[in-house]
């Protein structure tokens, strides 16, 4: 019962920020940790958000509201049941992406993200990393615990500062 009261107070605070004219531009980081329900669409109103973290939130499966956050440059997704990351396609300023311990199978939506500098993928269900061939600015790549069938796309990108694979 106290968790529900705490959650409702947080929700009231977020709604207050949204109703105060012009206050949605002050939020630069959204962290959703262990959410008990799908986060509300109102998160999409924080248009100046630069960092989005979703961890341990098994109910956050398809945060389509995040596609409105076009200023995001860093996304971290970890310990979720999220399978669909198509909402990432609209985040054109994305430079840093970490995806961990989630049942994500397809990252082809990322092929248009030519400006990613840091990419960390671990314990996903992806088998294909050919989308990275477009990443001419990639500096760091981690691919660990993923059933990748072909690592040769790594040979078709400029030299990396850091590479970690478990093959």
């Amino acid at each position: 019962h106290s968790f529900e009261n705490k959650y409702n107070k947080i929700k009231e605070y977020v709604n207050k920020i949204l109703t105060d004219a012009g206050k949605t531009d002050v939020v630069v980081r959204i962290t959703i940790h262990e959410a008990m329900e799908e986060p509300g669409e109102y998160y999409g109103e924080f248009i100046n958000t630069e960092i989005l973290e979703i961890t341990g939130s098994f109910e956050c499966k398809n945060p389509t509201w995040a596609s409105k956050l076009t200023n995001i440059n860093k996304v971290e997704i970890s310990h979720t049941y999220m399978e669909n990351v198509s909402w990432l396609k609209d985040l054109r300023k994305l430079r840093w992406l970490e995806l961990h311990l989630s049942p994500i199978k397809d990252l082809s939506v990322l092929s248009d993200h030519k400006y990613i500098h840091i990419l960390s993928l671990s314990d996903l269900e992806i088998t294909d990393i050919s989308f990275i061939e477009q990443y001419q600015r990639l500096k760091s790549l981690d691919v660990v615990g993923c059933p990748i069938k072909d690592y040769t796309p790594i040979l078709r990108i400029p030299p990396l500062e850091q590479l970690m694979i478990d093959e």
Side-chain angles (χ1 to χ4, degrees):
H1 189 70
S2 70
F3 173 79
E4 189 174 316
N5 287 339
K6 185 177 178 182
Y7 179 78
N8 285 333
K9 284 184 181 187
I10 292 169
K11 204 170 186 178
E12 285 174 28
Y13 176 72
V14 169
N15 285 329
K16 182 181 179 338
I17 291 172
L18 291 174
T19 55
D20 290 348
K23 295 293 183 178
T24 57
D25 63 348
V26 298
V27 176
V28 294
R29 173 188 228 119
I30 295 176
T31 300
I32 300 171
H33 182 68
E34 297 182 1
M36 301 303 281
E37 62 183 45
E38 184 76 35
E41 289 291 319
Y42 53 84
Y43 280 101
E45 301 301 318
F46 295 106
I47 56 173
N48 285 333
T49 300
E50 296 176 5
I51 300 170
L52 174 62
E53 301 169 333
I54 301 174
T55 61
S57 299
F58 297 110
E59 294 304 317
C60 188
K61 295 178 184 171
N62 191 16
T64 54
W65 50 265
S67 66
K68 298 176 188 175
L69 307 175
T70 56
N71 285 314
I72 285 186
N73 59 51
K74 181 178 182 183
V75 172
E76 294 179 42
I77 307 292
S78 180
H79 294 84
T80 71
Y81 289 145
M82 193 178 304
E83 294 178 21
N84 183 351
V85 290
S86 62
W87 54 273
L88 288 170
K89 74 178 178 286
D90 294 323
L91 307 182
R92 296 292 174 205
K93 294 184 180 179
L94 191 61
R95 302 296 181 263
W96 184 329
L97 179 61
E98 296 185 26
L99 302 172
H100 308 288
L101 291 157
S102 297
I104 298 166
K105 294 179 177 135
D106 182 18
L107 292 177
S108 61
V109 68
L110 297 176
S111 61
D112 290 337
H113 286 280
K114 297 173 174 61
Y115 301 110
I116 290 182
H117 294 202
I118 299 170
L119 181 62
S120 180
L121 310 170
S122 68
D123 300 301
L124 306 176
E125 296 180 15
I126 61 167
T127 59
D128 180 21
I129 58 169
S130 63
F131 63 91
I132 69 165
E133 292 181 30
Q134 307 301 316
Y135 295 1
Q136 298 302 304
R137 296 181 184 190
L138 192 63
K139 294 177 181 166
S140 175
L141 175 64
D142 298 349
V143 181
V144 179
C146 302
I148 304 301
K149 293 179 181 176
D150 179 15
Y151 283 93
T152 60
I154 295 171
L155 302 173
R156 293 187 280 280
I157 58 175
L160 298 165
E161 292 175 15
Q162 176 182 320
L163 172 64
M164 183 173 17
I165 57 175
D166 64 353
E167 183 62 19

